[in-house]
Amino acid sequence: LAVGRISRDPSLDLGHRLDYVILQEECETPRALVRFVDFGKLSSAFIGPLNPGFCEVAAHLGANWNKAIFSWMCINYKLDSTTRHNAFARTLPSPIQILLTIMKYFKWAHVGIIASSEDIWMYTAKESATVLRNHGLPVGIVTSVHKGEKGIEDTWNKIKGVNNIKIILLCMHSVLVGGQEQAALLTKALEMGLADGRYIFIPYDTLLYSLPYQNNSFSVFDNNSKLQEAYDAVLTITLESGERTFYDAFREAKESGEIIGDLEATQVSPLFGTIYDAIYFMAMAMDSARRKGVRASGANIAEHTKNFSFSGFSHQVETDSSGKRLDNYVILDTDGRGNQLLPTHLLDMSSGSVLSLGQAIHFPNEIPPKPDSSCWFDPDVLCTEG
């Protein structure tokens, strides 16, 4: 869809005919990396990789091949060094940067991370912990979900054994887009009395796309009062929907005949929109480089991601003078009943500020976790005695 629209876009002058090839990424990280090495001959630029475990190596390879790498999934903050990784560009703000802004606003510093046992999520958890620790924040535990009900119980018992945790980051598919593992994990937390407000559960993957929340009901909560109650302890952070949601944009593309197939919008992951935007993002960078009269090399394309604005899949995409995306994110909350999520706060990434939207967060038992000392968020102060 993106490549087709780019080829018909009269405002873009790429100097090349754009085509795509889908490169199948192996699930296991070492094999994925070996496979990536083989991709060097198959493509002129890359949208990916999906697994953050080998982003740094992929960025080095991209620079060596002189081919740009555009990523929404990479976490490692070292990749933002343009001197060391000049062929790498982010198509979304770093998910951990968004999380850090929220943590600072609420003064919740102590984190625990639970990952699905799949390689991609295990590496997401490890990389996230590394970045948080590099910001001086205490990550008390990084663990993965063991199989079966007993395994999930063991996971929660491990979490219980660590003091002071306020936020639990869930690195797995969101229950809102069909993540069964997260549903089982949250339900078990409720049964064990851990969804009582002592922890705030934050899904990781909704940070990567625009979850349609306006006038939208989530059927996963229908006839499931346990999951409704457990989700009261969850704060969902996602890209703000514009005037159109992801579902609206998908239906429009289907009605116009651009998307052929029997899938309904609600059967498609909103990550579709993120990938679409990443491809268009790359085309905008190619266009910008060409207009400035520079050769379309990997480093030049990655360099020319500054000060542009275009219509993304469901909302406007803009970058600042250093090439960073200027997106707004929202915090969504439920009241432990019903099947809708309401926005409570807006996160403005251009200023790094969090603004209340007038809708109070509904905490279980109406008590938020106690704030941590502000010293955790001051890089010039060492926290002592807790």
Side-chain angles (χ1 to χ4, degrees):
L1 182 68
V3 168
R5 285 183 178 174
I6 288 162
S7 66
R8 297 191 300 273
D9 189 334
S11 69
L12 291 175
D13 177 17
L14 306 185
H16 299 272
R17 189 177 69 83
L18 203 62
D19 203 355
Y20 67 90
V21 56
I22 295 173
L23 304 170
Q24 295 289 348
E25 192 175 299
E26 292 280 353
C27 294
E28 291 167 15
T29 306
R31 290 172 65 180
L33 178 53
V34 170
R35 189 85 182 266
F36 188 81
V37 173
D38 295 337
F39 292 161
K41 306 176 193 71
L42 300 176
S43 182
S44 314
F46 298 92
I47 309 291
L50 282 174
N51 187 331
F54 67 95
C55 280
E56 197 168 2
V57 182
H60 280 303
L61 286 168
N64 190 43
W65 297 333
N66 202 6
K67 294 178 179 182
I69 292 183
F70 289 84
S71 169
W72 68 90
M73 191 72 175
C74 292
I75 300 165
N76 192 333
Y77 64 100
K78 292 176 186 171
L79 295 168
D80 294 324
S81 165
T82 50
T83 49
R84 291 172 62 186
H85 299 288
N86 63 352
F88 175 85
R90 291 189 191 281
T91 64
L92 270 183
S94 164
I96 299 304
Q97 198 55 52
I98 301 152
L99 187 64
L100 282 164
T101 307
I102 301 288
M103 289 166 69
K104 186 174 182 180
Y105 177 80
F106 289 105
K107 290 198 172 70
W108 295 326
H110 290 77
V111 183
I113 303 177
I114 304 177
S116 168
S117 56
E118 296 163 281
D119 240 31
I120 184 169
W121 291 117
M122 300 267 279
Y123 274 91
T124 300
K126 286 177 191 169
E127 291 283 337
S128 299
T130 300
V131 175
L132 288 167
R133 285 170 177 151
N134 277 315
H135 279 84
L137 294 170
V139 180
I141 183 170
V142 181
T143 186
S144 61
V145 184
H146 303 295
K147 293 288 175 223
E149 193 170 344
K150 175 77 169 65
I152 293 173
E153 207 169 304
D154 290 345
T155 303
W156 282 124
N157 283 326
K158 274 190 197 172
I159 297 284
K160 272 167 65 179
V162 182
N163 292 333
N164 294 329
I165 290 178
K166 304 294 164 64
I167 284 179
I168 295 176
L169 188 61
L170 304 173
C171 294
M172 59 194 66
H173 293 295
S174 164
V175 66
L176 303 175
V177 293
Q180 293 297 315
E181 196 168 34
Q182 192 173 100
L185 198 66
L186 290 170
T187 305
K188 180 54 75 176
L190 181 75
E191 289 169 1
M192 293 175 69
L194 302 177
D196 58 358
R198 72 181 82 179
Y199 304 127
I200 294 294
F201 306 121
I202 295 184
Y204 182 92
D205 79 327
T206 55
L207 293 163
L208 302 172
Y209 49 75
S210 179
L211 182 78
Y213 55 89
Q214 293 166 331
N215 305 318
N216 185 39
S217 302
F218 291 93
S219 57
V220 70
F221 295 124
D222 294 347
N223 307 317
N224 192 339
S225 57
K226 270 192 173 180
L227 188 59
Q228 284 178 19
E229 194 180 338
Y231 214 83
D232 194 19
V234 177
L235 288 182
T236 307
I237 307 164
T238 193
L239 274 161
E240 183 191 26
S241 285
E243 289 176 12
R244 296 182 308 158
T245 68
F246 168 77
Y247 291 156
D248 295 333
F250 190 91
R251 286 187 194 107
E252 284 169 26
K254 201 175 164 192
E255 283 163 15
S256 68
E258 291 177 286
I259 291 175
I260 301 160
D262 297 330
L263 286 172
E264 293 304 315
T266 50
Q267 294 174 280
V268 180
S269 167
L271 194 61
F272 177 108
T274 300
I275 299 168
Y276 174 100
D277 290 352
I279 297 168
Y280 231 101
F281 191 97
M282 181 191 69
M284 291 294 295
M286 287 173 69
D287 177 71
S288 176
R290 185 169 167 81
R291 285 176 196 278
K292 298 208 171 58
V294 297
R295 193 170 62 85
S297 68
N300 284 342
I301 295 171
E303 162 72 14
H304 283 82
T305 57
K306 297 164 185 167
N307 295 320
F308 59 53
S309 175
F310 66 92
S311 294
F313 184 66
S314 60
H315 56 273
Q316 200 66 14
V317 176
E318 293 179 16
T319 62
D320 67 10
S321 56
S322 59
K324 289 191 173 75
R325 279 271 299 257
L326 297 174
D327 289 280
N328 288 342
Y329 286 76
V330 284
I331 298 176
L332 305 175
D333 187 37
T334 72
D335 57 2
R337 298 186 297 276
N339 58 8
Q340 292 193 321
L341 272 64
L342 298 174
T344 64
H345 292 76
L346 181 78
L347 168 54
D348 182 346
M349 286 306 285
S350 59
S351 61
S353 57
V354 179
L355 310 163
S356 171
L357 295 173
Q359 168 87 27
I361 291 174
H362 185 277
F363 294 100
N365 299 320
E366 300 184 8
I367 303 167
K370 279 189 186 145
D372 290 309
S373 168
S374 56
C375 67
W376 288 109
F377 301 99
D378 187 336
D380 301 320
V381 175
L382 190 66
C383 283
T384 57
E385 297 179 12

